[in-house]
Amino acid sequence: MRDDLKKDFTRRITQANSVSMITILYDMMLVYLGDARNALEKNDGKQFVQEIHHGQDCLMELMGSLNMRYEPAPVLYELYLYIHKELAKAIIDLSEKTLAQPESILKRLRDAYLELEKTGSFEPVMDNAQQIYAGLTYGKNSLIESLAQPVNNRGFLA
């Protein structure tokens, strides 16, 4: 994953609520699977496997966040298991063909969670995080993000 994407995901996580955290994990998985495809195009099998493993780590986080007492958690769990198996097949085969179905499923799930984000007002996961405002100032060739009220103690409070 490129450094600019890492910074973007970090920024999104600091501003995220519980639903958007799931959307972010889907986005991260899709980036990792795209990076895996790129690695295969460069005939870099080791990088391909590493990117798939990063995607599987995101998948494990999604599986661990499910509350199995409520629907649709059991269905999502089975779907995540299927995706995990397909990613394992991709590693064994060193083939991008196996990635098509998991990517399709992840995109549809991400779209569903994006719609869910729009319907409700959810509390942010991180308290005491700096607010980021885009568009208050502009650079010569880019938009500059500004931080409001510098805080000495950011993030989770114990």
Side-chain angles (χ1 to χ4, degrees):
M1 183 181 297
R2 297 186 331 253
D3 285 340
D4 61 327
L5 287 174
K6 288 179 185 178
K7 288 179 184 178
D8 183 51
F9 283 127
T10 302
R11 180 190 51 78
R12 286 176 59 192
I13 288 169
T14 63
Q15 305 300 310
N17 59 48
S18 57
V19 176
S20 57
M21 285 294 291
I22 295 169
T23 307
I24 292 168
L25 283 168
Y26 287 140
D27 287 339
M28 289 173 68
M29 277 193 69
L30 290 169
V31 168
Y32 284 129
L33 295 181
D35 289 348
R37 283 181 187 278
N38 293 338
L40 257 186
E41 289 174 5
K42 297 175 185 174
N43 292 324
D44 188 350
K46 184 177 178 182
Q47 184 67 30
F48 174 79
V49 171
Q50 186 177 19
E51 297 297 340
I52 296 290
H53 283 305
H54 288 311
Q56 286 177 323
D57 290 342
C58 292
L59 193 59
M60 290 296 113
E61 188 65 34
L62 287 165
M63 291 171 84
S65 69
L66 292 173
N67 187 342
M68 299 303 278
R69 292 184 292 172
Y70 301 105
E71 290 294 330
V75 175
L76 284 173
Y77 187 80
E78 292 296 322
L79 202 52
Y80 293 158
L81 281 178
Y82 170 76
I83 293 170
H84 193 273
K85 288 177 187 176
E86 291 298 304
L87 295 179
K89 285 180 191 175
I91 290 173
I92 292 169
D93 299 338
L94 282 180
S95 170
E96 67 178 76
K97 291 178 185 176
T98 317
L99 298 179
Q101 186 69 27
E103 282 180 325
S104 173
I105 293 168
L106 290 169
K107 286 177 184 175
R108 286 184 284 181
L109 287 171
R110 183 198 62 204
D111 292 344
Y113 272 92
L114 283 173
E115 288 299 315
L116 183 60
E117 281 181 47
K118 295 175 188 175
T119 62
S121 59
F122 303 96
E123 293 294 319
V125 173
M126 294 180 77
D127 293 326
N128 206 25
Q130 287 180 320
Q131 291 296 316
I132 300 173
Y133 298 98
L136 295 178
T137 57
Y138 295 89
K140 185 174 183 177
N141 296 318
S142 65
L143 179 69
I144 297 175
E145 293 178 343
S146 300
L147 301 174
Q149 302 175 4
V151 179
N152 294 334
N153 184 10
R154 298 183 297 168
F156 288 105
L157 295 175

